[in-house]
Amino acid sequence: TTSRTRTVTKAQAFGGAACPNLTETHSCSPGDVCPIDCVWSDWADWQSCTASCGETTQRRIRTQKVKSNAVGTNCTGEAVEELPCSLSACPGDCGVSDWGAWDLCSVSCGTGTTSRKRNITQNVANGGAPCPDLTETHPCSPGTFCPIDCVWSDWADWQSCAASCGETTKKRVRTQTVTANELGTCTGDAEETADCGLAACAIDCSLTEWAEWSACSVSC
């Protein structure tokens, strides 16, 4: 800048007009540009960590409050500063593989079960979600009926002999508690017979009918 001055030749009196400015200033240039150096602002507060657990960072920033001109000194340093956050490890959920193939049905006929399995690929850590079931089971049927064999009850007591003496028999019976289906079998009988082993029956004497009378033993 450049300036000039003037002085008072007669002071104000009796309410006269006040004196104007005694100094006047104007901008000026000798023809050369002055250097303007970069000036950083103060650092802002640290921002929040980029995650709530595990290996993460936080940062703070600053801006150029004054930018350097062509003949000034550029700013040194960075506009962003980062630091690691001291956080606990993140929870690790259990990881499992895809399901394997279904096993063969546990039976060759009728209704059975089949199952499939999967494996743990990542163990649970730091309070993460537990592992789901590793085995899945469902009913299955090969599509054919199973043979059902008959089942006999125990024998009943022997019945009384058919007679009280002589050659006679007695019998006992049993029933089917389970009836065989068309594919099953059933062996044995429902009835069993045995000799009674009794003494021979008494035999009474038996006679023929009377024959005709013979001729008289005398003639007169």
Side-chain angles (χ1 to χ4, degrees):
T1 59
T2 183
S3 62
R4 60 182 179 177
T5 60
R6 55 185 174 182
T7 58
V8 175
T9 57
K10 184 187 290 185
Q12 175 193 16
F14 309 114
C19 292
N21 291 331
L22 301 178
T23 302
E24 186 177 38
T25 302
H26 285 288
S27 59
C28 64
S29 173
D32 294 327
V33 178
C34 294
I36 299 174
D37 297 333
C38 168
V39 177
W40 285 111
S41 67
D42 293 332
W43 285 105
D45 293 335
W46 285 103
Q47 298 176 3
S48 300
C49 295
T50 54
S52 59
C53 62
E55 295 183 0
T56 185
T57 58
Q58 61 182 165
R59 70 178 187 169
R60 62 179 183 176
I61 60 175
R62 59 181 177 177
T63 58
Q64 292 183 20
K65 187 165 60 174
V66 176
K67 295 183 180 293
S68 61
N69 65 4
V71 294
T73 302
N74 292 331
C75 283
T76 58
E78 303 295 334
V80 178
E81 187 176 35
E82 287 191 351
L83 284 177
C85 294
S86 298
L87 302 177
S88 58
C90 292
D93 295 341
C94 174
V96 293
S97 65
D98 293 334
W99 286 108
W102 287 101
D103 295 336
L104 294 176
C105 197
S106 60
V107 296
S108 58
C109 61
T111 301
T113 57
T114 181
S115 61
R116 61 179 182 175
K117 297 183 173 87
R118 56 185 173 184
N119 301 316
I120 295 176
T121 57
Q122 166 109 22
N123 290 317
V124 63
N126 307 314
C131 293
D133 290 336
L134 301 178
T135 302
E136 187 177 35
T137 302
H138 283 294
C140 62
S141 175
T144 58
F145 294 105
C146 292
I148 299 175
D149 296 333
C150 84
V151 177
W152 289 109
S153 68
D154 293 333
W155 285 106
D157 293 334
W158 285 104
Q159 297 176 7
S160 299
C161 292
S164 60
C165 62
E167 294 183 358
T168 186
T169 59
K170 59 183 177 180
K171 71 176 182 177
R172 62 179 182 177
V173 296
R174 61 181 178 177
T175 58
Q176 292 184 21
T177 58
V178 176
T179 303
N181 67 3
E182 62 223 22
L183 302 177
T185 59
C186 193
T187 59
D189 297 315
E191 184 175 304
E192 187 176 40
T193 302
D195 291 332
C196 287
L198 301 177
C201 293
I203 302 174
D204 297 333
C205 175
S206 63
L207 302 174
T208 65
E209 298 291 333
W210 287 103
E212 297 293 329
W213 288 102
S214 62
C216 188
S217 60
V218 292
S219 57
C220 59

